[in-house]
């Protein structure tokens, strides 16, 4: 009995020490948010974002952070695994609502890493990395009427490193908790092509739970995020929350109290609401006394939708700021994203870094924060940016280069001031002629694009012919990264 009692005491002491040494970690991933949407990134922004401005003022703002892809699923894969998604079978586009899991169950995720090291882990919001449902007819398709909604997913977030999950039970429109639909989606609906808040003309149709409304999403995700923080604060172990709202991604569904709160139309109002919901999470950290022991990252999965061009003409708001390109594109506006980190007593308040980083670097940085080594077969494209966070003097860049992909599968590589796009154009989603004329873009007929971002940040002048040797070096490095299966040095 004494032996058991001593074991319990030692375990409690271990948990207490773990909590004291390792910070809570929260990763906030906005959806389709532009570099120029936050007022702390663009003085010309017509969208007030006081809570995110506060986060930046209390932490570090990166000015050269990149999503590894111009679209959703590949970025989320890379955030959680530290591996470029184009190394998987998904070379173009995103997963469908009925797609099987993209992450191999044998591959380490950041959730796995932290759970293994004593963290309580949770996902709130968008998953979009595939799942496996229990089907009524196993030989049939993954369709709403063939899913056994009374049972949780066979494979979902809970099998990939998370103790708790709350999101949507796609392919239905219904909320799910711990990978199980809360209400069966039995109601057929079709919003049509002309609904104003869809912003882009996509149909939103299918099956939803009775009473489900898109407007419930953002408030519900905030509510569940707050609940997770308060529940986790009562535990002995530190916590990790991956909070991924579907905002400001369409459908753009602004709740009444935020309508008219920006100068950038209904989209801007939606960003105002997103900022408010982030504020609710920050308030929960303050209320629980966990703020000082929590590392928070806020960023976005890619640049803004191409409706951003209409927003320029309608309101004068540039979601992509001074960059060229939008979501899906390989130009900077498609992948240069806000990246804010707050970590009290570790990251200098009001600081700024121009270090070139990728969202793929999250898992290696987390490993650095908690002081563990990553296995050799994990996070092959993830670099530890902790030295930049801590404001250390760096003799050389942390990353030799960054690779990012367009939704069409084309790759680009960035090294120093140079970026090589392995295509005739970095455009995927479409760029209006009036915008090219406004930016004074020089047309070309070359097979690739090469830009010097220091001299030409708006990517107006293709340097592929004048600087062919630079292009050759970048092309060889990109080929090496593709062929070797990793862009980081081998571990172990």
């Amino acid at each position: 009995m004494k032996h058991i009692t001593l074991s319990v005491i030692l375990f409690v002491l271990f948990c207490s020490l773990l909590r004291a040494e390792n910070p809570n970690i929260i990763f906030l991933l906005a959806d389709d948010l532009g570099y120029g949407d936050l007022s702390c990134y663009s003085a010309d922004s017509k969208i007030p974002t006081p809570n995110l401005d506060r986060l930046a003022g209390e932490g570090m703002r990166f000015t050269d952070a990149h999503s590894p892809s111009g679209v959703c699923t590949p970025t989320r894969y890379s955030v959680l695994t530290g591996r470029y998604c184009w190394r998987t079978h998904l070379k173009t586009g995103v997963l469908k609502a009925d797609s099987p899991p993209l992450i191999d169950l044998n591959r380490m995720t950041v959730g796995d890493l932290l759970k293994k090291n004593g963290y309580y882990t949770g996902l709130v919001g968008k998953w979009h990395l595939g799942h496996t449902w229990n089907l009524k007819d196993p030989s049939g398709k993954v369709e709403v009427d063939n899913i056994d909604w009374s049972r949780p997913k066979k494979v979902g977030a809970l099998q990939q490193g998370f103790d708790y999950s709350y999101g949507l039970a796609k392919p239905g429109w219904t909320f799910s908790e711990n990978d199980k639909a809360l209400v069966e989606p039995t109601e057929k609906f079709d919003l049509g092509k002309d609904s104003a808040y869809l912003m882009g003309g996509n149909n939103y149709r299918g099956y939803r739970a009775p009473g489900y409304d898109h407007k419930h999403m953002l408030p519900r995700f905030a509510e569940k995020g707050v609940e997770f923080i308060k529940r986790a604060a009562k535990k002995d172990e530190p916590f990790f929350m991956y909070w991924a709202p579907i905002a400001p991604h369409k459908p753009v569904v602004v709740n009444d109290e935020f309508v008219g709160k920006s100068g950038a139309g209904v989209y801007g109002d939606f960003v105002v609401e997103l900022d408010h919901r982030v504020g609710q999470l920050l308030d929960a950290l303050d209320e629980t006394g966990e703020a000082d022991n929590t590392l928070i990252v806020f960023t976005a999965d890619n640049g803004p939708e191409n409706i951003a061009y209409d927003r320029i003409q309608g309101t004068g708001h540039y979601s992509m700021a001074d960059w060229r390109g939008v979501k899906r594109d390989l130009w900077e506006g498609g992948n240069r994203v806000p990246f804010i980190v707050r970590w009290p007593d570790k990251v200098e308040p009001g600081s700024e870094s121009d270090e070139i980083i990728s969202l793929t670097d999250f898992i290696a940085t987390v490993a650095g924060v908690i002081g563990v080594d990553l296995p050799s077969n994990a996070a092959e494209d993830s670099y530890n940016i902790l030295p930049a966070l801590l404001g250390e003097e760096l003799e050389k860049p942390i990353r030799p280069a960054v690779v990012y992909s367009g939704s069409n599968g084309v790759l680009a590589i960035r090294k120093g001031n140079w970026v090589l796009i392995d295509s005739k154009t970095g455009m995927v989603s479409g760029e209006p002629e009036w915008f090219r004329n406004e930016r004074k873009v020089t047309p070309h007929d070359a097979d690739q694009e090469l830009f010097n971002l220091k001299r030409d940040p708006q990517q107006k002048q293709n340097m592929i012919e004048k600087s062919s040797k630079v292009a050759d070096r970048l092309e060889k490095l990109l080929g090496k990264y593709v062929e070797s299966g990793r862009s980081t040095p081998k571990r172990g």
Side-chain angles (χ1 to χ4, degrees):
M1 184 63 119
K2 289 181 180 179
H3 175 72
I4 295 175
T5 303
L6 180 60
S7 298
V8 171
I9 292 172
L10 289 173
F11 178 75
V12 171
L13 286 173
F14 171 76
C15 290
S16 298
L17 287 171
L18 182 67
R19 180 112 196 192
E21 292 177 1
N22 288 333
N24 307 312
I25 300 172
I26 296 179
F27 191 86
L28 309 174
L29 185 65
D31 199 341
D32 292 3
L33 182 78
Y35 187 97
D37 285 331
L38 305 187
S39 48
C40 57
Y41 271 88
S42 173
D44 296 325
S45 173
K46 296 182 181 295
I47 306 173
T49 51
N51 292 294
L52 291 167
D53 294 352
R54 167 195 162 193
L55 200 65
E58 295 172 347
M60 178 176 287
R61 188 173 62 89
F62 282 78
T63 59
D64 212 340
H66 296 265
S67 61
S69 172
V71 285
C72 171
T73 297
T75 290
R76 291 162 199 271
Y77 176 90
S78 296
V79 165
L80 292 181
T81 67
R83 182 175 184 243
Y84 291 134
C85 188
W86 45 263
R87 299 193 189 281
T88 73
H89 67 83
L90 186 69
K91 308 297 184 186
T92 62
V94 299
L95 291 186
K96 297 179 180 179
D98 60 353
S99 295
L102 180 61
I103 303 175
D104 190 290
L105 289 179
N106 294 319
R107 175 161 291 280
M108 175 182 281
T109 68
V110 69
D112 291 323
L113 173 68
L114 288 170
K115 191 173 179 179
K116 179 182 178 182
N117 285 278
Y119 275 70
Y120 174 53
T121 60
L123 156 73
V124 177
K126 186 174 182 177
W127 180 241
H128 206 170
L129 288 167
H131 39 234
T132 304
W133 285 101
N134 287 286
L135 301 180
K136 296 174 184 176
D137 176 6
S139 64
K141 295 182 179 180
V142 183
E143 295 177 334
V144 169
D145 58 0
N146 192 36
I147 292 173
D148 183 352
W149 295 102
S150 68
R151 301 168 68 187
K153 298 173 183 177
K154 284 184 178 180
V155 179
L158 298 187
Q159 286 70 43
Q160 301 196 312
F162 292 95
D163 296 305
Y164 172 81
S165 72
Y166 188 93
L168 293 176
K170 303 303 287 290
W173 289 90
T174 183
F175 292 109
S176 69
E177 192 161 32
N178 289 328
D179 288 349
K180 183 180 182 299
L182 297 177
V183 181
E184 184 174 346
T186 57
E187 183 177 290
K188 194 171 184 178
F189 76 109
D190 188 341
L191 295 179
K193 293 183 178 180
D194 299 321
S195 184
Y197 63 72
L198 296 183
M199 298 195 60
N202 281 8
N203 281 347
Y204 276 77
R205 61 163 72 97
Y207 287 85
R208 63 185 173 192
Y212 173 86
D213 190 312
H214 290 313
K215 284 189 176 183
H216 298 160
M217 279 195 296
L218 196 45
R220 188 70 60 84
F221 293 158
E223 173 190 335
K224 292 300 177 179
V226 167
E227 287 180 5
F228 180 85
I229 290 170
K230 291 182 176 180
R231 182 169 63 251
K234 297 177 182 178
K235 295 180 177 290
D236 291 325
E237 65 264 44
F239 65 83
F240 165 59
M241 181 173 70
Y242 171 46
W243 191 75
I246 308 175
H249 188 291
K250 57 188 176 182
V252 178
V253 282
V254 186
N255 284 281
D256 293 344
E257 61 266 40
F258 302 99
V259 174
K261 297 298 183 181
S262 78
V266 65
Y267 171 89
D269 298 343
F270 203 27
V271 176
V272 171
E273 181 172 359
L274 171 63
D275 178 83
H276 174 79
R277 303 305 176 188
V278 171
Q280 290 178 307
L281 301 179
L282 299 180
D283 289 345
L285 289 173
D286 291 336
E287 291 168 12
T288 57
E290 295 293 334
D292 288 343
N293 189 39
T294 301
L295 187 164
I296 304 177
V297 177
F298 176 87
T299 186
D301 63 350
N302 45 249
E305 263 287 4
N306 60 5
I307 195 73
Y309 294 119
D310 293 342
R311 192 156 50 249
I312 293 170
Q313 293 187 305
T315 69
H317 175 78
Y318 287 72
S319 284
M320 73 291 287
D322 289 333
W323 309 114
R324 185 183 181 191
V326 291
K327 177 180 178 177
R328 301 179 187 85
D329 293 342
L330 282 153
W331 293 319
E332 292 294 289
N335 59 74
R336 190 180 290 229
V337 292
F339 194 93
I340 300 169
V341 182
R342 188 185 78 176
W343 189 9
D345 297 327
K346 298 288 187 179
V347 172
E348 184 181 354
S351 56
E352 182 180 294
S353 175
D354 61 0
E355 189 73 17
I356 302 170
I357 65 170
S358 169
L359 272 57
T360 310
D361 298 330
F362 181 58
I363 187 171
T365 304
V366 165
V369 167
I370 65 174
V372 299
D373 294 326
L374 289 168
S376 59
N377 63 344
E380 293 92 335
D381 300 300
S382 187
Y383 282 80
N384 179 7
I385 67 167
L386 185 58
L389 293 179
L390 300 180
E392 296 178 8
E393 290 290 333
L394 301 174
E395 295 182 1
K396 61 180 182 179
I398 293 174
R399 276 188 153 273
V402 175
V403 178
Y404 32 84
S405 61
S407 64
N408 58 358
V410 172
L411 300 181
I413 184 167
R414 166 80 183 281
K415 183 176 177 61
N417 294 322
W418 292 96
V419 59
L420 173 70
I421 296 172
D422 195 19
S423 173
K424 289 185 176 181
T425 174
M427 178 175 64
V428 181
S429 60
E431 182 183 57
E433 185 177 357
W434 67 261
F435 187 83
R436 288 195 295 274
N437 292 338
E438 179 184 278
R439 292 287 171 93
K440 296 181 173 58
V441 174
T442 302
H444 69 85
D445 296 318
D447 290 334
Q448 293 176 312
E449 289 192 317
L450 178 71
F451 300 102
N452 185 302
L453 294 176
K454 184 175 182 179
R455 295 198 293 263
D456 180 21
Q458 294 186 338
Q459 297 175 291
K460 296 185 287 188
Q461 182 68 49
N462 187 4
M463 300 294 291
I464 195 71
E465 294 180 358
K466 293 182 179 179
S467 300
S468 58
K469 291 183 179 179
V470 174
D472 289 343
R473 289 197 297 270
L474 289 177
E475 190 169 19
K476 288 179 182 177
L477 182 59
L478 179 59
K480 175 185 174 182
Y481 285 170
V482 171
E483 293 298 322
S484 66
R486 65 186 308 129
S487 59
T488 58
K490 289 185 178 181
R491 304 182 183 98

